[in-house]
Amino acid sequence: MSMSMLVLGGSHFLGLQVAEQARDHGWQVSVFNRGKTGSNPDGVRGVVGDRMNDSDLARLVELGAWDAVVDTSGMNAEAVESATAALAPVVGRYVYVSTVSVYADWPLHPLREELPTLTEAAPAHGMPPDVNVSYGRDKAACEQAARTHLDKRLTILRPGVILGPGEYVGRLPWWLARTARGGQILAPGCPDQALQPVDVRDLAVFACRRAETATGGEVFNIAAPQDAATMGGFLADCLSATEPARAELTWVNSSFLVEHEVRQWTELPLWRTHSGTWQVDAGRAREAGLLCRPLEQTVADTWSWMQAGNKAVYNDRAALHGIDPAKEQAVLAAWATRRERP
């Protein structure tokens, strides 16, 4: 008899990929969402409802039970508290997708799962103002709420940056659009800077595996190996995918960018000077079966997805990403002038 899965979310990006992966591997899949963004995949049961509405949750419970739940949409403690309290009697395993932002040390220091979260410790000394501590604190509170009702049935996944087809934050899509325009491109920092983004499809596969086999009480960081990719390789992959008529990468060091008030993490996506940003230890997840495809494949597949006319669901965070062309050229001109000085 096939296993049953409930996906909280399920209509776009990670939730959609989880639902599709589970369906393709023989699960009986239900998705629960408001029906306002994206669309549910074929071959799954769609349940329309709001996880903040008690009557909608009660109706959902009546449709159970499920062998596993994968929660991709819990963004605040109240939402997770309501859902886990209602569903606890009718679920076996529960996989909650959190974030590395829960750590009190991120992005200043390297991360491993044993480090305290923002519900257990204050943010690390020297936390820069561009880090969204409130978001990390909210997600840490979500983890705490889930533990209250699920205890050993709970598995927590803490991904770093998630890229791939359907990405709605806009990091990779912006870089692809920028390299497609060609010309002189501001390349941030050092080409040897390590990157650790994870492909949304690889995260979805791992989430489904843990939903099927987890013993519970587990926490996993989710990131690519620290030696898998670099900023230079990533931008080269973007150029290879988009094939602009003419393009030139001009590498500008991080101190100069900071001096010229280029916003880290958003104006030049994935660029950040803080040493812990791309030092996420995900060895525990790899031992448990996490496999990460080459970043080159993620880049190429996302460009193909964009070229096919697909659009990500709207998210206001996307508007924060990307440097204004006039500012980019002004920074490049200032860099050229500095380099020409005797």
Side-chain angles (χ1 to χ4, degrees):
M1 182 176 179
S2 62
M3 300 180 72
S4 59
M5 177 185 289
L6 171 65
V7 181
L8 300 182
S11 63
H12 68 279
F13 202 41
L14 178 58
L16 178 66
Q17 289 291 340
V18 169
E20 290 182 340
Q21 290 286 346
R23 176 203 64 197
D24 292 348
H25 284 80
W27 290 74
Q28 294 180 344
V29 181
S30 300
V31 297
F32 177 70
N33 53 62
R34 295 177 299 171
K36 294 182 177 181
T37 56
S39 57
N40 298 333
D42 295 334
V44 308
R45 176 174 60 174
V47 182
V48 178
D50 188 332
R51 62 185 296 161
M52 297 300 293
N53 184 301
D54 290 343
S55 62
D56 286 350
L57 284 175
R59 179 167 49 86
L60 179 65
V61 169
E62 292 176 358
L63 298 174
W66 292 276
D67 294 299
V69 171
V70 179
D71 186 349
T72 66
S73 64
M75 299 301 293
N76 62 70
E78 182 181 0
V80 174
E81 164 73 24
S82 298
T84 54
L87 292 170
V90 293
V91 302
R93 301 181 181 93
Y94 197 107
V95 178
Y96 175 67
V97 181
S98 186
T99 168
V100 296
S101 294
V102 300
Y103 289 107
D105 280 351
W106 192 84
L108 297 184
H109 305 293
L111 298 182
R112 61 183 190 278
E113 287 89 350
E114 294 78 13
L115 291 173
T117 71
L118 288 165
T119 57
E120 301 162 328
H125 178 71
M127 189 66 70
D130 65 276
V131 176
N132 190 347
V133 174
S134 295
Y135 169 66
R137 188 176 286 117
D138 285 345
K139 291 290 276 187
C142 289
E143 293 184 6
Q144 196 172 54
R147 286 191 180 98
T148 299
H149 299 288
L150 299 165
D151 194 27
K152 294 300 182 181
R153 289 179 288 165
L154 176 67
T155 295
I156 294 172
L157 308 184
R158 293 173 178 164
V161 170
I162 309 171
L163 302 180
E167 184 210 330
Y168 58 87
V169 176
R171 296 181 177 109
L172 177 51
W174 184 85
W175 273 117
L176 286 166
R178 176 63 192 91
T179 55
R181 285 206 323 269
Q184 187 181 19
I185 300 169
L186 198 170
C190 173
D192 294 332
Q193 172 61 59
L195 300 181
Q196 292 182 274
V198 64
D199 190 291
V200 63
R201 295 164 292 185
D202 298 332
L203 173 55
V205 168
F206 186 75
C208 290
R209 287 179 177 171
R210 300 324 296 165
E212 183 176 5
T213 64
T215 57
E218 305 170 316
V219 178
F220 295 98
N221 291 337
I222 308 295
Q226 294 182 36
D227 60 353
T230 63
M231 181 65 83
F234 167 70
L235 293 185
D237 292 340
C238 289
L239 288 169
S240 177
T242 57
E243 298 182 315
R246 184 188 69 82
E248 175 191 359
L249 295 176
T250 299
W251 291 92
V252 179
N253 71 44
S254 290
S255 60
F256 189 86
L257 295 175
V258 171
E259 177 185 338
H260 283 76
E261 298 182 345
V262 177
R263 292 194 308 275
Q264 299 187 45
W265 208 235
T266 52
E267 283 195 298
L268 295 172
L270 307 183
W271 166 67
R272 192 168 241 166
T273 60
H274 315 310
S275 61
T277 304
W278 302 113
Q279 294 189 59
V280 178
D281 182 354
R284 181 184 295 178
R286 283 193 294 279
E287 290 177 0
L290 174 66
L291 297 174
C292 294
R293 71 195 68 200
L295 184 54
E296 178 183 10
Q297 183 179 343
T298 303
V299 170
D301 290 350
T302 302
W303 180 243
S304 295
W305 182 85
M306 293 168 64
Q307 289 298 99
N310 295 299
K311 300 288 185 182
V313 301
Y314 173 78
N315 186 280
D316 55 9
R317 293 168 65 192
L320 301 175
H321 289 85
I323 189 169
D324 180 81
K327 182 174 181 179
E328 179 185 20
Q329 293 307 308
V331 173
L332 286 167
W335 177 248
T337 300
R338 172 172 168 170
R339 296 183 72 188
E340 291 169 359
R341 290 174 186 165

